[in-house]
Amino acid sequence: MKTIYNIHRFFLGALLCLVAYACNDSNVSDLRLDGDVWLTSLELDGVYQGTIDRATQTVTVAIPEVYDTEAMKVTAVAASEGAETSVKAGDVLNLSYPQVIHVTNGDVFLDFTVTVKHDEAKILAFKLNDAYAGVIDQTKRTITVRVPGTTDVTNLVPAITVSEGAVVSPASGQAIDFTNPVDFTVSYNTASSVYQVTVIPTDAPSAVYVGLAASLDLLNAEEKEAATWMLNNVPNSQYVSFEDIQAGRVNMDECKLIWWHLHIDGGIDTMDKFDNAAPQAVNALVKMKELYNNGMNFLLTRYATYYAAKLGATKDGNNPNNCWGQSEESGEITGGPWSFFIQGHETHPLYQNLVMNGSETNAVYTCDAGYRITNSTAQWHIGSDWGGYATNEDWRQATGGVDLGYGGDGAIVAWEYLPEGTRGGIVCIGSGCYDWYAYGVDASGDKYHGNVATMTENAINYLTANK
């Protein structure tokens, strides 16, 4: 007995027609529903065979690590007996993005999505002695592992996770001397990569990225992208958890700055929701306030901007009053470049050395068209319509903040609390444009996205200068 896979929406109407009127004297429908519609084989460029998954109706074609996919020729394609395919032998497909093959047999059809998969040789995770996780820079092919100063670096055992099918040398489980950097070679078919691993013994970081998770590897994708950038670009920086700081497990004597970038899918818009989402940060407040009151500087981005009120930096004790956000996997694809305005603050250290849009100097652009963004925003609405802060000056007087950046409607999206007495300084960035991770999008060629890292580096240098 044949299986019916997909029937057009008009099938129900056709059945009603069949019952009411009878299509011919023998009451037999003219619809053809007894044919199979499987794609059975696909070959590209005379060499590369597709792997067909019937359950997901997908076809994956493995190709070399470096290969032009914009004009791949279909050299063979086959389907179930009696079925026809929308793609024929001899057709040329641009497989730099997925293509669909439509298989029909009478009035039954199935769609198969075809994608290519380049050979890949990557180290995806690296840990020493099951305790010290490495920070991987996939662009530079470097891995940095920070260990306590008392660790014997001459006898460390790596645990390495590589991309599917790949092999690595030296292998996992082999004790290695990391007194000097060690090269690890990963290979799979046509792909090969060399990662240089450097072990740094240190007990007192100069700057830390703090998070809710026990380790960097457990952060969500947005936060992990930000933290990884810091550990690869800010000298003597470390990842620590709020619980590490609360329990005194980290030597903060030399630390000048704490950065927290908090992402929550769907956003938050009240302090109660913040408390529920970040209990570790709330529990660590006694220690965090002590650090802040004794000169620690903070960079607080996205929903971490709520923490300024927790630390006691805001005069009125309020958090941003206009907040929202989307989820990573369903974030919108930008139709053009996104930016926020900086009029009156163009010379602030936060905005130096950025890639500008032509001669436009009063706006910071952070992504171009085609970027997937959650538009996660924690900003201050200014206007008498909401009460609270009728003007920017009212906001300054009430909060003690200094506005540095604005949304299109005049909302304050970047601001700071200046050092006072023994207190450190705080820079807050709550613009929806400030985004580190684009789900399913390669942002490496994005004209403006590097401004996110540059602005972050500027903020860190500004806060720690002469401190």
Side-chain angles (χ1 to χ4, degrees):
M1 180 176 179
K2 300 291 185 181
T3 302
I4 298 176
Y5 304 100
N6 241 332
I7 304 175
H8 292 290
R9 290 177 180 264
F10 65 76
F11 182 40
L12 179 58
L15 289 178
L16 294 174
C17 174
L18 177 66
V19 172
Y21 300 106
C23 296
N24 54 43
D25 291 342
S26 61
N27 288 335
V28 176
S29 171
D30 289 332
L31 292 174
R32 293 177 52 202
L33 306 173
D34 60 345
D36 278 333
V37 283
W38 297 121
L39 186 68
T40 56
S41 67
L42 177 68
E43 180 187 79
L44 300 177
D45 286 353
V47 177
Y48 306 110
Q49 303 293 328
T51 299
I52 300 171
D53 187 327
R54 290 188 174 187
T56 59
Q57 294 165 223
T58 58
V59 185
T60 304
V61 184
I63 59 175
E65 180 182 24
V66 179
Y67 196 84
D68 185 1
T69 61
E70 292 188 357
M72 297 191 72
K73 187 175 183 179
V74 178
T75 47
V77 60
S80 302
E81 182 179 355
E84 296 184 356
T85 59
S86 59
V87 169
K88 310 297 183 184
D91 288 350
V92 176
L93 303 179
N94 181 355
L95 281 161
S96 59
Y97 55 89
Q99 297 284 354
V100 173
I101 297 180
H102 192 70
V103 183
T104 58
N105 199 341
D107 294 291
V108 184
F109 71 89
L110 276 181
D111 285 336
F112 287 80
T113 302
V114 183
T115 58
V116 295
K117 183 179 184 299
H118 291 269
D119 288 344
E120 187 174 73
K122 289 184 177 181
I123 292 179
L124 303 178
F126 189 95
K127 185 175 286 188
L128 293 176
N129 288 8
D130 289 326
Y132 312 117
V135 179
I136 303 173
D137 186 326
Q138 295 291 2
T139 302
K140 298 177 182 177
R141 294 290 194 263
T142 60
I143 301 174
T144 303
V145 189
R146 289 174 170 81
V147 300
T150 56
T151 303
D152 179 9
V153 299
T154 67
N155 189 38
L156 296 173
V157 179
I160 310 169
T161 302
V162 297
S163 47
E164 184 178 0
V167 295
V168 60
S169 178
S172 282
Q174 176 182 336
I176 298 173
D177 181 354
F178 283 95
T179 303
N180 298 306
V182 178
D183 287 344
F184 286 77
T185 301
V186 191
S187 57
Y188 175 71
N189 289 342
T190 64
S192 181
S193 301
V194 177
Y195 289 77
Q196 186 173 84
V197 178
T198 302
V199 174
I200 301 175
T202 180
D203 291 312
S206 301
V208 300
Y209 182 105
V210 66
L212 303 176
S215 68
L216 182 147
D217 289 339
L218 297 177
L219 294 174
N220 60 52
E222 169 73 21
E223 295 173 9
K224 186 176 181 180
E225 190 76 15
T228 298
W229 173 86
M230 183 183 190
L231 271 60
N232 281 321
N233 291 277
V234 178
N236 197 29
S237 58
Q238 291 185 19
Y239 175 83
V240 301
S241 69
F242 279 99
E243 291 182 353
D244 287 334
I245 292 180
Q246 181 186 9
R249 291 193 287 263
V250 182
N251 183 346
M252 301 291 285
D253 291 347
E254 303 298 324
C255 189
K256 298 179 179 180
L257 175 130
I258 294 173
W259 177 25
W260 184 22
H261 179 63
L262 174 62
H263 171 75
I264 299 169
D265 265 359
I268 57 171
D269 57 5
T270 68
M271 186 61 85
D272 286 344
K273 291 180 180 178
F274 173 87
D275 291 346
N276 291 332
Q280 301 94 322
V282 177
N283 292 339
L285 261 176
V286 171
K287 182 62 176 179
M288 287 297 197
K289 284 183 177 180
E290 178 185 323
L291 291 168
Y292 173 53
N293 290 328
N294 285 306
M296 183 65 69
N297 302 286
F298 285 80
L299 173 59
L300 302 174
T301 52
R302 194 161 288 183
Y303 303 118
T305 56
Y306 279 57
Y307 209 51
K310 293 288 189 184
L311 291 170
T314 61
K315 289 182 178 179
D316 60 5
N318 287 344
N319 53 270
N321 62 0
N322 188 204
C323 310
W324 64 83
Q326 301 174 39
S327 298
E328 292 288 4
E329 296 187 13
S330 57
E332 63 184 292
I333 299 294
T334 58
W338 279 37
S339 65
F340 65 91
F341 298 102
I342 59 172
Q343 60 268 23
H345 308 286
E346 293 90 343
T347 62
H348 193 279
L350 189 61
Y351 304 127
Q352 304 311 299
N353 304 314
L354 301 177
V355 175
M356 309 305 286
N357 185 5
S359 60
E360 188 177 355
T361 60
N362 70 334
V364 172
Y365 285 81
T366 60
C367 65
D368 210 338
Y371 186 88
R372 186 186 298 277
I373 197 165
T374 63
N375 192 16
S376 297
T377 301
Q379 65 182 21
W380 299 90
H381 175 79
I382 304 298
S384 57
D385 53 331
W386 281 20
Y389 311 105
T391 67
N392 285 23
E393 183 57 32
D394 289 336
W395 175 84
R396 295 177 197 124
Q397 292 297 323
T399 66
V402 178
D403 39 317
L404 300 175
Y406 313 94
D409 62 352
I412 297 173
V413 300
W415 63 98
E416 66 176 320
Y417 303 97
L418 297 172
E420 184 177 355
T422 61
R423 284 183 170 185
I426 299 177
V427 168
C428 295
I429 305 175
S431 170
C433 299
Y434 182 88
D435 192 279
W436 281 91
Y437 172 77
Y439 176 81
V441 172
D442 180 4
S444 60
D446 190 295
K447 179 180 180 180
Y448 300 112
H449 193 240
N451 283 340
V452 174
T454 301
M455 190 162 40
T456 304
E457 185 174 16
N458 287 343
I460 292 171
N461 291 337
Y462 169 63
L463 287 165
T464 57
N466 303 318
K467 302 295 193 298

